[in-house]
Amino acid sequence: MPQLARRIGRAKPSAIMQVAEKAKRLKAEGRDIISFSIGVPNFLPGEHVYAAARDALSKDSGQYGSNRGPDALLDAFVEHMAKIGLTGYGRVNCATGIGAKHVIYNLAEALLDEGDTIAFPTPYWTSYLDIAEIVGAKIDLLPCPAGQDYKLTPAQLDAALAKKPKVFLFNNPSNPTGMVYTKEEIDALADVVAKYPDTWVITDDIYNRMVFDGIGYHNFVHARPELKDRVIFLDSLSKTYGMPGWRVGFMAGPEVVAQALATMNSNHITNVPEIVCAAAIAALNGPQDVPTQKCAEFQAKRDQVMAVMNAIPGVVCPRPQGAFYVFPDISVAFGKTHAPSGTKIGNDVEFCNALLEAKGVACVPGSAFGEPRALRISYTCPTPQLAPGLQRFQEFFSELS
């Protein structure tokens, strides 16, 4: 029979979804499962978002929409950016997509020819590696272990950019670590970026409204406005507004890049659906009480999770200040045996499988994010499940010998 394209051999299913599906399957079999696996915010947007969608449905035109996105949505996004200090953008600098993942894929297609290099820090969001491999890019991973708080240093960035990658991809706040770069850290990295004018910079900052402890959100363009001609800012409705299933992502950057993404859209999705756009406009322009409240709740949950991580001997867990993840280094468990089950723990995958089987707690192995000494805990589960899940996690460690 005819063969599939070679790129399909480079495409891999999401490791995060594989864990989530296994947890769902065990739950369907009657197991008591608490999932810390999938990164969904687990809240719904305000009623005004649904009202806008219903109103749009009643007035549905049935027509194609704009490849770039409707003017009202682009204007709402521009205003949304202005509130975090990213000013001077217009409709021509923006484009939409079916979620931020789709926007990243479009950017990979638009910016990277096969064999071009993309550089990004490790740990990374799983899809960065997968998308880069699909488009045939070379990948330069910049290791940022727990010992340096999972953060990239200026020296590391300088060494990476000196090799002249076509794209540098940066994530702040971070998925999977929840770490947030301070203003001083962003300023120092921006000074390095400014030295290398031939590299595009993508800032995947979809958690920019989920920042704790008053640390604030900071971008390279804040530090160095002249970088605006090659920095591409990404955002999404999914996490901030509890709308992951609505699939609305955005980019803002140089006009030539925004036009390239609109052209890409014209060749595969045509447009984000009209009713979804109406809901997105309402989310951006309407009351912000739900995301504000949820950010405060996530900060409190972060504190609850960190209290447990800090109480487990040998576990190293830098304190996250954003998103809704913690990323503990659990390598202290490697080489030990879970006494009640007799299961030996050799690596992060075996740890997560044993934890799920023994305690009914689902986490994602750190190797999915390029850091096999760790695992990711997403603490967006219903609040009544958080404390029992953490207790089971702590008990599992106490049963290792």
Side-chain angles (χ1 to χ4, degrees):
M1 63 183 292
Q3 298 298 305
L4 296 174
R6 286 191 299 274
R7 73 177 63 89
I8 283 296
R10 301 193 294 263
K12 297 184 282 293
S14 166
I16 300 170
M17 292 306 297
Q18 288 178 322
V19 173
E21 289 300 321
K22 182 176 181 179
K24 190 184 298 183
R25 185 172 66 252
L26 290 173
K27 193 168 187 175
E29 293 171 0
R31 290 284 306 277
D32 176 19
I33 302 296
I34 295 176
S35 180
F36 292 155
S37 60
I38 194 165
V40 295
N42 276 324
F43 67 88
L44 295 174
E47 173 56 30
H48 62 286
V49 172
Y50 294 102
R54 287 190 292 267
D55 185 58
L57 183 62
S58 69
K59 299 173 182 175
D60 181 32
S61 71
Q63 302 300 310
Y64 291 121
S66 164
N67 301 146
R68 186 186 296 273
D71 287 350
L73 180 55
L74 299 175
D75 290 345
F77 179 52
V78 166
E79 178 61 27
H80 180 74
M81 286 194 299
K83 292 174 182 175
I84 54 172
L86 295 175
T87 57
Y89 294 88
R91 296 171 185 170
V92 296
N93 302 110
C94 303
T96 58
I98 305 295
K101 184 186 290 189
H102 174 229
V103 175
I104 294 171
Y105 189 90
N106 269 359
L107 285 170
E109 292 279 15
L111 302 179
L112 291 163
D113 288 314
E114 190 157 345
D116 284 343
T117 298
I118 180 171
F120 49 85
T122 301
Y124 50 75
W125 182 47
T126 57
S127 291
Y128 295 165
L129 189 75
D130 298 340
I131 290 171
E133 289 181 338
I134 290 170
V135 302
K138 295 177 182 176
I139 301 163
D140 186 14
L141 299 178
L142 314 178
C144 303
Q148 62 187 62
D149 289 340
Y150 298 127
K151 291 184 180 183
L152 186 68
T153 68
Q156 282 181 296
L157 181 58
D158 197 32
L161 296 188
K163 293 184 281 186
K164 297 185 177 180
K166 186 72 176 295
V167 173
F168 167 53
L169 174 55
F170 186 69
N171 179 212
N172 176 47
S174 165
N175 176 5
T177 69
M179 302 307 289
V180 181
Y181 288 77
T182 66
K183 180 182 184 301
E184 293 73 23
E185 289 167 337
I186 290 293
D187 288 351
L189 293 174
D191 287 344
V192 175
V193 171
K195 293 168 52 181
Y196 299 97
D198 296 326
T199 297
W200 291 107
V201 179
I202 301 172
T203 62
D204 177 10
D205 295 355
I206 68 170
Y207 296 91
N208 66 78
R209 301 296 176 106
M210 290 185 180
V211 177
F212 313 145
D213 305 327
I215 190 174
Y217 163 74
H218 306 283
N219 186 283
F220 297 140
V221 173
H222 292 144
R224 288 272 197 154
E226 70 270 23
L227 294 177
K228 198 171 175 182
D229 65 356
R230 57 192 177 92
V231 169
I232 302 155
F233 168 76
L234 304 188
D235 208 341
S236 166
L237 296 187
S238 295
K239 316 299 182 178
T240 301
Y241 293 100
M243 298 174 68
W246 290 83
R247 309 309 303 137
V248 184
F250 305 94
M251 63 76 51
E255 183 176 347
V256 65
V257 177
Q259 180 56 55
L261 264 65
T263 300
M264 295 290 290
N265 283 346
S266 75
N267 283 284
H268 43 67
I269 68 163
T270 303
N271 61 276
V272 177
E274 184 176 2
I275 293 160
V276 172
C277 288
I281 293 165
L284 293 170
N285 286 345
Q288 302 296 302
D289 53 321
V290 172
T292 299
Q293 173 194 346
K294 293 302 175 180
C295 184
E297 289 181 12
F298 288 143
Q299 178 172 326
K301 284 186 171 184
R302 183 278 313 267
D303 292 342
Q304 191 175 350
V305 177
M306 284 303 300
V308 172
M309 296 301 111
N310 292 336
I312 301 174
V315 168
V316 178
C317 188
R319 181 181 176 83
Q321 293 185 291
F324 37 65
Y325 309 107
V326 298
F327 199 67
D329 182 324
I330 46 85
S331 57
V332 67
F334 299 170
K336 296 183 178 180
T337 299
H338 181 245
S341 64
T343 303
K344 188 165 184 177
I345 309 297
N347 55 46
D348 61 320
V349 175
E350 291 176 358
F351 181 99
C352 288
N353 283 333
L355 176 66
L356 182 57
E357 291 295 337
K359 298 296 181 181
V361 175
C363 299
V364 184
S367 52
F369 309 98
E371 179 44 271
R373 291 167 294 190
L375 58 77
R376 190 187 76 171
I377 293 173
S378 174
Y379 51 80
T380 62
C381 62
T383 299
Q385 294 181 10
L386 184 59
L390 292 172
Q391 182 179 0
R392 296 181 195 182
F393 187 89
Q394 191 168 11
E395 286 174 353
F396 182 81
F397 266 95
S398 71
E399 293 167 356
L400 297 179
S401 60

